[in-house]
PDB file of all heavy atoms in Angstrom:
ATOM      1  N   PRO A 543     -43.529 -33.776  13.017  1.00 88.00           N
ATOM      2  CA  PRO A 543     -42.956 -34.812  12.163  1.00 88.00           C
ATOM      3  C   PRO A 543     -41.594 -34.511  11.689  1.00 88.00           C
ATOM      4  O   PRO A 543     -40.710 -35.384  11.592  1.00 88.00           O
ATOM      5  CB  PRO A 543     -43.943 -34.890  11.013  1.00 88.00           C
ATOM      6  CG  PRO A 543     -45.201 -34.265  11.460  1.00 88.00           C
ATOM      7  CD  PRO A 543     -44.831 -33.327  12.553  1.00 88.00           C
ATOM      8  N   LEU A 544     -41.355 -33.192  11.366  1.00 88.00           N
ATOM      9  CA  LEU A 544     -40.009 -32.849  10.866  1.00 88.00           C
ATOM     10  C   LEU A 544     -38.988 -33.038  11.930  1.00 88.00           C
ATOM     11  O   LEU A 544     -37.864 -33.499  11.714  1.00 88.00           O
ATOM     12  CB  LEU A 544     -39.997 -31.386  10.373  1.00 88.00           C
ATOM     13  CG  LEU A 544     -40.622 -31.171   8.993  1.00 88.00           C
ATOM     14  CD1 LEU A 544     -40.707 -29.682   8.635  1.00 88.00           C
ATOM     15  CD2 LEU A 544     -39.817 -31.865   7.906  1.00 88.00           C
ATOM     16  N   ALA A 545     -39.257 -32.582  13.189  1.00 89.00           N
ATOM     17  CA  ALA A 545     -38.383 -32.798  14.283  1.00 89.00           C
ATOM     18  C   ALA A 545     -38.004 -34.256  14.467  1.00 89.00           C
ATOM     19  O   ALA A 545     -36.906 -34.688  14.701  1.00 89.00           O
ATOM     20  CB  ALA A 545     -38.976 -32.182  15.526  1.00 89.00           C
ATOM     21  N   LYS A 546     -39.108 -35.073  14.393  1.00 89.00           N
ATOM     22  CA  LYS A 546     -38.903 -36.537  14.574  1.00 89.00           C
ATOM     23  C   LYS A 546     -37.979 -37.091  13.496  1.00 89.00           C
ATOM     24  O   LYS A 546     -37.132 -37.866  13.791  1.00 89.00           O
ATOM     25  CB  LYS A 546     -40.293 -37.220  14.517  1.00 89.00           C
ATOM     26  CG  LYS A 546     -40.952 -37.398  15.791  1.00 89.00           C
ATOM     27  CD  LYS A 546     -42.198 -38.243  15.705  1.00 89.00           C
ATOM     28  CE  LYS A 546     -43.024 -38.115  17.010  1.00 89.00           C
ATOM     29  NZ  LYS A 546     -44.411 -38.422  16.783  1.00 89.00           N
ATOM     30  N   SER A 547     -38.244 -36.625  12.265  1.00 88.00           N
ATOM     31  CA  SER A 547     -37.455 -37.227  11.144  1.00 88.00           C
ATOM     32  C   SER A 547     -35.989 -36.808  11.238  1.00 88.00           C
ATOM     33  O   SER A 547     -35.114 -37.553  10.837  1.00 88.00           O
ATOM     34  CB  SER A 547     -38.064 -36.876   9.757  1.00 88.00           C
ATOM     35  OG  SER A 547     -38.256 -35.474   9.714  1.00 88.00           O
ATOM     36  N   VAL A 548     -35.739 -35.655  11.854  1.00 89.00           N
ATOM     37  CA  VAL A 548     -34.327 -35.266  12.050  1.00 89.00           C
ATOM     38  C   VAL A 548     -33.703 -36.212  13.061  1.00 89.00           C
ATOM     39  O   VAL A 548     -32.611 -36.738  12.855  1.00 89.00           O
ATOM     40  CB  VAL A 548     -34.230 -33.773  12.517  1.00 89.00           C
ATOM     41  CG1 VAL A 548     -32.775 -33.487  12.976  1.00 89.00           C
ATOM     42  CG2 VAL A 548     -34.693 -32.799  11.455  1.00 89.00           C
ATOM     43  N   VAL A 549     -34.427 -36.465  14.144  1.00 89.00           N
ATOM     44  CA  VAL A 549     -33.883 -37.361  15.203  1.00 89.00           C
ATOM     45  C   VAL A 549     -33.665 -38.698  14.613  1.00 89.00           C
ATOM     46  O   VAL A 549     -32.692 -39.414  14.939  1.00 89.00           O
ATOM     47  CB  VAL A 549     -34.889 -37.393  16.358  1.00 89.00           C
ATOM     48  CG1 VAL A 549     -34.587 -38.478  17.317  1.00 89.00           C
ATOM     49  CG2 VAL A 549     -34.926 -36.032  17.118  1.00 89.00           C
ATOM     50  N   CYS A 550     -34.551 -39.154  13.735  1.00 89.00           N
ATOM     51  CA  CYS A 550     -34.473 -40.469  13.100  1.00 89.00           C
ATOM     52  C   CYS A 550     -33.172 -40.681  12.335  1.00 89.00           C
ATOM     53  O   CYS A 550     -32.685 -41.792  12.218  1.00 89.00           O
ATOM     54  CB  CYS A 550     -35.627 -40.745  12.133  1.00 89.00           C
ATOM     55  SG  CYS A 550     -37.093 -41.243  13.024  1.00 89.00           S
ATOM     56  N   LEU A 551     -32.616 -39.534  11.839  1.00 88.00           N
ATOM     57  CA  LEU A 551     -31.348 -39.614  11.090  1.00 88.00           C
ATOM     58  C   LEU A 551     -30.290 -40.248  11.954  1.00 88.00           C
ATOM     59  O   LEU A 551     -29.259 -40.717  11.479  1.00 88.00           O
ATOM     60  CB  LEU A 551     -30.957 -38.263  10.630  1.00 88.00           C
ATOM     61  CG  LEU A 551     -31.748 -37.580   9.487  1.00 88.00           C
ATOM     62  CD1 LEU A 551     -31.295 -36.178   9.265  1.00 88.00           C
ATOM     63  CD2 LEU A 551     -31.648 -38.413   8.226  1.00 88.00           C
ATOM     64  N   PHE A 552     -30.451 -40.177  13.291  1.00 89.00           N
ATOM     65  CA  PHE A 552     -29.362 -40.665  14.215  1.00 89.00           C
ATOM     66  C   PHE A 552     -29.642 -42.054  14.711  1.00 89.00           C
ATOM     67  O   PHE A 552     -28.943 -42.573  15.597  1.00 89.00           O
ATOM     68  CB  PHE A 552     -29.244 -39.644  15.329  1.00 89.00           C
ATOM     69  CG  PHE A 552     -28.586 -38.366  14.935  1.00 89.00           C
ATOM     70  CD1 PHE A 552     -29.313 -37.410  14.246  1.00 89.00           C
ATOM     71  CD2 PHE A 552     -27.258 -38.161  15.170  1.00 89.00           C
ATOM     72  CE1 PHE A 552     -28.675 -36.266  13.769  1.00 89.00           C
ATOM     73  CE2 PHE A 552     -26.580 -37.028  14.798  1.00 89.00           C
ATOM     74  CZ  PHE A 552     -27.326 -36.075  14.060  1.00 89.00           C
ATOM     75  N   GLU A 553     -30.645 -42.698  14.181  1.00 89.00           N
ATOM     76  CA  GLU A 553     -30.986 -44.052  14.672  1.00 89.00           C
ATOM     77  C   GLU A 553     -29.874 -45.046  14.314  1.00 89.00           C
ATOM     78  O   GLU A 553     -29.494 -45.871  15.081  1.00 89.00           O
ATOM     79  CB  GLU A 553     -32.285 -44.552  14.034  1.00 89.00           C
ATOM     80  CG  GLU A 553     -33.367 -44.326  15.103  1.00 89.00           C
ATOM     81  CD  GLU A 553     -34.789 -44.528  14.546  1.00 89.00           C
ATOM     82  OE1 GLU A 553     -34.919 -45.029  13.419  1.00 89.00           O
ATOM     83  OE2 GLU A 553     -35.763 -44.123  15.224  1.00 89.00           O
ATOM     84  N   GLN A 554     -29.386 -44.933  13.049  1.00 89.00           N
ATOM     85  CA  GLN A 554     -28.299 -45.806  12.651  1.00 89.00           C
ATOM     86  C   GLN A 554     -26.982 -45.305  13.264  1.00 89.00           C
ATOM     87  O   GLN A 554     -26.715 -44.121  13.294  1.00 89.00           O
ATOM     88  CB  GLN A 554     -28.172 -45.785  11.129  1.00 89.00           C
ATOM     89  CG  GLN A 554     -29.349 -46.374  10.402  1.00 89.00           C
ATOM     90  CD  GLN A 554     -29.498 -47.893  10.718  1.00 89.00           C
ATOM     91  OE1 GLN A 554     -28.543 -48.617  10.729  1.00 89.00           O
ATOM     92  NE2 GLN A 554     -30.760 -48.264  11.058  1.00 89.00           N
ATOM     93  N   PRO A 555     -26.140 -46.256  13.797  1.00 91.00           N
ATOM     94  CA  PRO A 555     -24.855 -45.790  14.279  1.00 91.00           C
ATOM     95  C   PRO A 555     -23.948 -45.274  13.200  1.00 91.00           C
ATOM     96  O   PRO A 555     -24.179 -45.517  12.046  1.00 91.00           O
ATOM     97  CB  PRO A 555     -24.312 -47.020  14.989  1.00 91.00           C
ATOM     98  CG  PRO A 555     -24.980 -48.188  14.355  1.00 91.00           C
ATOM     99  CD  PRO A 555     -26.319 -47.672  13.860  1.00 91.00           C
ATOM    100  N   PHE A 556     -22.926 -44.518  13.625  1.00 91.00           N
ATOM    101  CA  PHE A 556     -21.971 -43.973  12.707  1.00 91.00           C
ATOM    102  C   PHE A 556     -20.704 -44.899  12.744  1.00 91.00           C
ATOM    103  O   PHE A 556     -20.222 -45.124  13.837  1.00 91.00           O
ATOM    104  CB  PHE A 556     -21.575 -42.528  13.061  1.00 91.00           C
ATOM    105  CG  PHE A 556     -22.760 -41.569  12.880  1.00 91.00           C
ATOM    106  CD1 PHE A 556     -23.701 -41.462  13.852  1.00 91.00           C
ATOM    107  CD2 PHE A 556     -22.810 -40.805  11.738  1.00 91.00           C
ATOM    108  CE1 PHE A 556     -24.735 -40.540  13.682  1.00 91.00           C
ATOM    109  CE2 PHE A 556     -23.883 -39.993  11.539  1.00 91.00           C
ATOM    110  CZ  PHE A 556     -24.856 -39.819  12.561  1.00 91.00           C
TER     111      PHE A 556
END
Side-chain angles (χ1 to χ4, degrees):
L544 282 172
K546 269 186 191 155
S547 52
V548 170
V549 169
C550 278
L551 290 173
F552 287 77
E553 261 170 12
Q554 293 297 315
F556 292 83

